Amino acid sequence: MSVLYIIGTPIGNLGDITFRAIETLKNVDYVAAEDTRHTLQLLNHFEIKKPLISCRAQNEKFAGEKIVKLLDEGNSVAYASDAGTPGISDPGAVLVDVVREAGHQIVPIPGPSAFATLISAAGSGGKTLIFEGFLSPKPGKRRSRLRELMATGDAIIIYESPFRITKLLCDVADIEGTRRIVVGRELTKLHEEILSGSAADIYRDFAERPSIKGEFAIFISGTKKTQLSEESADN
């Protein structure tokens, strides 16, 4: 049976790619990519030469049908988004649905993601974690959704661009300035920065910066005080 491999690729540091991901990329017949130019750089770095297929958000269903045809012909295909794990605020989910509906096997090749990377350094995770990805760029919708998320009392992970990070932090600080947050900028890259503190303090830090670059993952701590020791005692 032909297989579609979903490949987790580095979010910055190429050393984070797994041996299994490299071997899979070497052995498949085709590599599908969110951005073929970006993935070509990754393949060149590891001296891998494969035919590339564009499969981005704008053409994912159409590209998925082309990939199904290749799988029907007995080929194996690997899919990589620009960085991290496909399907987590990246294309990939539509492709998986199309390929699965066609009856072909889907095999995940686990790898990096900004989501898991920030959680590992955030602490105070609690029992439940909400992953929201990117919020609406519209101020009213963004603030309204933030209020809903923060009212749950659960920890939250959000992604944001350098163009809206200060506005997002301002919203969080306005809603609850004492809430502890952790901001990860350029995770795993040369200029990686991880800041922890109250929402108000972190907002002031960014508001005073003359320029902001890089991609962001933001952890907003929960307010629920469930203790693992208490849970264990109940079992």
Side-chain angles (χ1 to χ4, degrees), residues 111-146:
S113 75
F115 169 79
T117 301
L118 185 61
I119 291 170
S120 70
S124 304
K127 185 177 180 180
T128 304
L129 178 68
I130 299 172
F131 175 65
E132 185 70 8
F134 287 94
L135 293 171
S136 171
K138 297 181 179 179
K141 287 186 176 181
R142 181 180 64 239
R143 183 179 288 258
S144 176
R145 182 56 179 156
L146 268 175

Side-chain angles (χ1 to χ4, degrees), residues 148-190:
E148 292 176 354
L149 292 168
M150 293 174 69
T152 66
D154 293 319
I156 306 153
I157 289 276
I158 295 169
Y159 289 168
E160 193 50 275
S161 74
F163 310 108
R164 291 190 296 271
I165 183 63
T166 304
K167 294 176 182 177
L168 172 67
L169 294 174
C170 180
D171 288 342
V172 177
D174 283 347
I175 294 168
E176 190 177 337
T178 58
R179 183 80 71 98
R180 176 179 173 269
I181 67 173
V182 180
V183 175
R185 183 180 73 86
E186 292 288 85
L187 291 170
T188 79
K189 300 177 185 177
L190 180 62

Side-chain angles (χ1 to χ4, degrees), residues 11 28 44-45 54 57 69 71 79-80 82 87 89 100 106 113 121 131 135 139 142 154 180 222 224:
I11 59 176
V28 294
N44 286 341
H45 180 81
S54 172
K69 185 176 180 181
L71 294 168
Y79 179 70
D82 285 355
S89 288
R100 180 171 284 121
I106 313 290
S113 75
F131 175 65
L135 293 171
R142 181 180 64 239
D154 293 319
R180 176 179 173 269
K224 294 177 180 177

Side-chain angles (χ1 to χ4, degrees), residues 40-99:
L40 180 60
Q41 292 177 353
L42 178 72
L43 295 178
N44 286 341
H45 180 81
F46 292 104
E47 299 181 346
I48 299 171
K49 295 186 182 298
K50 296 291 174 179
L52 286 164
I53 304 165
S54 172
C55 182
R56 58 192 191 280
Q58 295 82 355
N59 75 339
E60 193 170 352
K61 190 174 188 304
F62 175 74
E65 292 168 353
K66 291 174 60 178
I67 290 168
V68 164
K69 185 176 180 181
L70 291 172
L71 294 168
D72 288 342
E73 294 170 352
N75 297 291
S76 57
V77 181
Y79 179 70
S81 53
D82 285 355
T85 300
I88 303 181
S89 288
D90 271 338
V94 172
L95 172 63
V96 166
D97 284 343
V98 170
V99 170

